[in-house]
Amino acid sequence: MRQPILLQCFLIGYLWFGHTAAGAEETPQQWKVSELRFQVETLSDNPVDTPFSATFTNEAGHSITVPGFYDGDQTYCIRFTPSVSGQWNYTTTSTTDELNNQSGKLTVSPATDQLRGGIELDPNNDRQFRFQNGDRYFPIAFECDWLFALDAENADDIPKTRKFVDTLAKNGFNQVVLNVFAYDVKWAKDDRLDAKYEYGSPKVYPFAGDNESPDHSKQNIEYFQRLDRVIEYLDQKGIAAHLMVYVWNKRVNWPEANSAADNRYFDYVVRRYQAYPNLIWDISKEALGYGHNDVNYIHGRIERLRDLDAYKRLITVHDYSYCRRFADKIDFVSVQLWQSELYHVMRDVCKNIPGKPILNIEHGGYEKGPYVVFNGNYTSPEVCLERAYQCVFAGTFPTHYWQGAAWNVIVPDITELAPEDRPRLDYYHHLQTLVEKYDLGNLIAGDKHSNAGFSLHNGTGQILYYVPKENDFLGLRLPSEVRGQTMSLTWFNPFDGTFSETTQQKIDQWPAVKVPGEDGFRILILDHPDPNQ
């Protein structure tokens, strides 16, 4: 597991350098989390409240002030993720003398190939994301709210987390939507549910005490240390952690909104996790639902987060009504839209909220599993896939749910299930193949290039068509300038990831193609001469 690099530690004033398990000294790297740890002799009554930060300045004069956090055992920690290589100097600031005015130098090596930096908005395409190194980031998300719980009671290791995250990574998912904490669902549970897959009512809790008898004035440091392992492993596997700070309908005993305890919890989460380059912030799942708060509370949480997050990670709110009304306050849009004809619904979102990437965080598809958890509107894995592709062809991004990893139920190792009960996660590996092969994030959505289905195009002669399963033929709308010339046609099967042999067809006045006689929708890749050349 890619652990943060332990750089330096002050043990009551004594300085030493951290080492790997093999004894080799580690070097800070660009876009990799490093930790500076400081141990003190005395603590305040609530050490989490002690102000502590460090200002890092590099040779070019770039400066960043990073907040620190209490990590138990009389130790404070600052996580630093350098944006560039070279020498950085730092100086700490605190109201506690032992933590104040400590200084040092770090020599940061350039990033290795697997380190691409944080996720940011693409300055060249306001509907897209990219990594800090400039590579495109095209989200294919998976919601697993209870991922935090898989190994939360295991002090030594995260075997179940690794097993499940490895499965997601293998199948093309590059973002996981998860809660910092959730307790249990309010609806009835399947009587057939095997207890080993049940993670509702966990014994762990992010506050002192437990969910039934909490002490909201204190954070449970050990809980967060174990959550660290989940975020770190997602980062190692190249998966974004879309972290929902709150959830209101999963029976969590939260402190009163805007209370000192609420602010302490929120600030602690932001201080502790902001350095992770794979981090994406989400204020709350279904943020304005269930009567917990109003828009002013969400406004305040966003402002508080932006003030405290030195790395300026992306922020969204899992609530379409909020995103629609206050798009200026978020970095990208999260929507829950379940309508049957999804493509045009998502195109309407694009028209209503210009200039922002859009993630359909719940499209109503909850792929069936071995147990009924929550059915949504659609449970067929093939229909769920159709809806994911309709999001993609609308110029937006999809999120997948599987009932074997939704809310309180998680099956970490899908190979334990009978083949008929396993999810078709391989479908999303094929989607990733298409995304990367044709750079779908750089294509244009919304234009009509056929008399049915939907299309993405590059403006110079390449068009990808989503061809519905009902189609036997597809009429094409191509520029009149290319009539009489030849087009190339390749079919992609989204269910097995295969491409057909490429064929040639002359472009006449009313071009049309015959759809392969197979079940399910298909993707047609068409190349014609650029009419502008």
Side-chain angles (χ1 to χ4, degrees):
M1 184 164 57
R2 182 194 298 158
Q3 300 280 359
I5 298 173
L6 178 63
L7 292 177
Q8 299 183 7
C9 184
F10 288 82
L11 295 174
I12 317 175
Y14 180 70
L15 173 65
W16 63 282
F17 286 85
H19 294 76
T20 67
E25 190 172 295
E26 292 193 77
T27 301
Q29 283 185 284
Q30 179 188 16
W31 296 327
K32 185 173 183 179
V33 180
S34 298
E35 289 188 353
L36 285 80
R37 304 181 70 81
F38 305 82
Q39 192 170 42
V40 298
E41 289 186 309
T42 58
L43 294 173
S44 64
D45 291 340
N46 198 338
V48 168
D49 292 341
T50 299
F52 179 48
S53 64
T55 298
F56 297 82
T57 305
N58 74 348
E59 299 160 296
H62 174 71
S63 181
I64 181 173
T65 298
V66 180
F69 57 91
Y70 182 62
D71 199 30
D73 194 26
Q74 296 186 248
T75 301
Y76 285 82
C77 178
I78 287 174
R79 286 177 173 157
F80 176 52
T81 305
S83 57
V84 297
S85 59
Q87 184 169 296
W88 289 81
N89 298 326
Y90 69 85
T91 303
T92 66
T93 301
S94 179
T95 56
T96 297
D97 290 342
E98 289 179 272
L99 296 172
N100 190 46
N101 204 32
Q102 303 282 3
S103 61
K105 296 180 180 180
L106 308 175
T107 300
V108 177
S109 63
T112 54
D113 289 343
Q114 71 268 26
L115 299 176
R116 296 187 286 179
I119 299 165
E120 59 186 19
L121 301 177
D122 187 341
N124 302 311
N125 188 332
D126 59 14
R127 294 290 190 194
Q128 300 295 323
F129 303 96
R130 72 176 190 183
F131 293 100
Q132 284 178 283
N133 74 342
D135 290 353
R136 187 177 308 285
Y137 173 65
F138 190 103
I140 303 175
F142 187 99
E143 184 150 350
C144 185
D145 301 271
W146 255 259
L147 186 62
F148 71 89
L150 278 177
D151 294 295
E153 296 178 30
N154 185 333
D156 302 317
D157 200 3
I158 55 168
K160 291 185 285 187
T161 302
R162 285 199 303 272
K163 174 66 71 173
F164 187 69
V165 170
D166 287 352
T167 298
L168 295 181
K170 175 184 175 182
N171 287 288
F173 294 100
N174 58 13
Q175 183 172 145
V176 170
V177 182
L178 73 155
N179 289 115
V180 172
F181 181 73
Y183 189 63
D184 215 336
V185 297
K186 295 183 176 181
W187 53 80
K189 298 179 181 179
D190 193 331
D191 292 336
R192 301 171 299 140
L193 177 58
D194 189 324
K196 70 178 181 179
Y197 301 137
E198 162 69 270
Y199 290 90
S201 299
K203 296 177 182 178
V204 296
Y205 190 53
F207 300 93
D210 57 33
N211 195 63
E212 300 301 321
S213 302
D215 178 359
H216 289 140
S217 68
K218 295 181 174 62
Q219 307 309 137
N220 179 356
I221 304 302
E222 187 176 19
Y223 175 85
F224 291 99
Q225 290 171 340
R226 295 183 183 185
L227 179 60
D228 289 354
R229 303 177 303 181
V230 179
I231 307 301
E232 289 163 9
Y233 195 68
L234 289 170
D235 186 30
Q236 179 180 337
K237 301 301 292 187
I239 297 177
H242 181 135
L243 192 62
M244 298 183 290
V245 182
Y246 300 105
V247 58
W248 311 127
N249 69 333
K250 298 301 185 293
R251 296 175 52 195
V252 180
N253 196 337
W254 294 111
E256 182 181 352
N258 271 326
S259 65
D262 183 27
N263 292 338
R264 180 182 296 111
Y265 161 79
F266 186 83
D267 292 355
Y268 189 78
V269 170
V270 177
R271 288 172 180 270
R272 189 167 189 114
Y273 294 107
Q274 62 179 267
Y276 287 104
N278 64 326
L279 204 287
I280 292 172
W281 295 114
D282 195 324
I283 299 298
S284 174
K285 182 177 176 68
E286 296 166 340
L288 293 179
Y290 314 105
H292 181 274
N293 56 68
D294 58 15
V295 295
N296 292 320
Y297 178 78
I298 304 303
H299 291 342
R301 295 292 96 174
I302 293 174
E303 292 169 7
R304 194 176 188 96
L305 196 162
R306 292 200 188 278
D307 287 342
L308 192 56
D309 181 4
Y311 297 94
K312 309 304 177 188
R313 305 301 183 198
L314 298 181
I315 300 173
T316 192
V317 175
H318 189 305
D319 188 284
Y320 180 33
S321 65
Y322 184 90
C323 293
R324 184 175 61 245
R325 289 183 287 165
F326 305 107
D328 59 315
K329 295 186 177 295
I330 56 174
D331 295 310
F332 69 96
V333 176
S334 295
V335 303
Q336 288 174 273
L337 293 171
W338 293 23
Q339 288 90 331
S340 297
E341 203 293 281
L342 189 57
Y343 170 84
H344 287 103
V345 169
M346 296 305 295
R347 287 304 304 160
D348 285 343
V349 176
C350 293
K351 294 174 185 176
N352 293 334
I353 310 179
K356 301 277 184 180
I358 297 164
L359 174 69
N360 195 335
I361 205 162
E362 289 189 33
H363 60 52
Y366 297 86
E367 183 182 352
K368 62 185 178 182
Y371 313 103
V372 175
V373 182
F374 189 92
N375 277 327
N377 283 359
Y378 319 90
T379 63
S380 159
E382 289 71 34
V383 173
C384 290
L385 186 70
E386 289 178 7
R387 296 178 69 74
Y389 272 81
Q390 288 190 27
C391 289
V392 169
F393 273 75
T396 64
F397 305 104
T399 305
H400 184 60
Y401 268 85
W402 172 49
Q403 292 188 55
W407 299 286
N408 59 300
V409 175
I410 305 178
V411 180
D413 184 357
I414 65 175
T415 64
E416 294 179 354
L417 301 176
E420 63 271 18
D421 288 332
R422 296 174 190 173
R424 295 308 306 266
L425 302 184
D426 56 308
Y427 290 165
Y428 298 85
H429 172 70
H430 307 325
L431 172 57
Q432 179 196 40
T433 297
L434 192 72
V435 166
E436 294 181 353
K437 184 177 179 65
Y438 293 99
D439 191 14
L440 297 196
N442 201 36
L443 300 184
I444 301 164
D447 293 337
K448 291 291 292 181
H449 286 279
S450 60
N451 61 5
F454 325 114
S455 69
L456 295 167
H457 68 97
N458 66 1
T460 60
Q462 186 171 82
I463 308 171
L464 273 69
Y465 294 95
Y466 173 106
V467 184
K469 59 187 175 184
E470 296 83 5
N471 278 64
D472 296 312
F473 291 87
L474 183 70
L476 308 177
R477 296 178 179 176
L478 303 179
S480 58
E481 295 89 342
V482 300
R483 288 177 189 167
Q485 301 188 58
T486 300
M487 59 183 174
S488 300
L489 306 171
T490 307
W491 290 94
F492 175 70
N493 184 331
F495 304 104
D496 64 16
T498 58
F499 292 88
S500 72
E501 292 187 7
T502 300
T503 60
Q504 308 294 318
Q505 183 173 323
K506 187 175 181 181
I507 304 171
D508 56 24
Q509 183 175 4
W510 305 108
V513 296
K514 187 179 187 317
V515 180
E518 301 167 328
D519 292 336
F521 72 100
R522 290 293 182 270
I523 306 300
L524 171 64
I525 300 99
L526 183 152
D527 289 284
H528 67 71
D530 185 350
N532 300 313
Q533 293 184 352

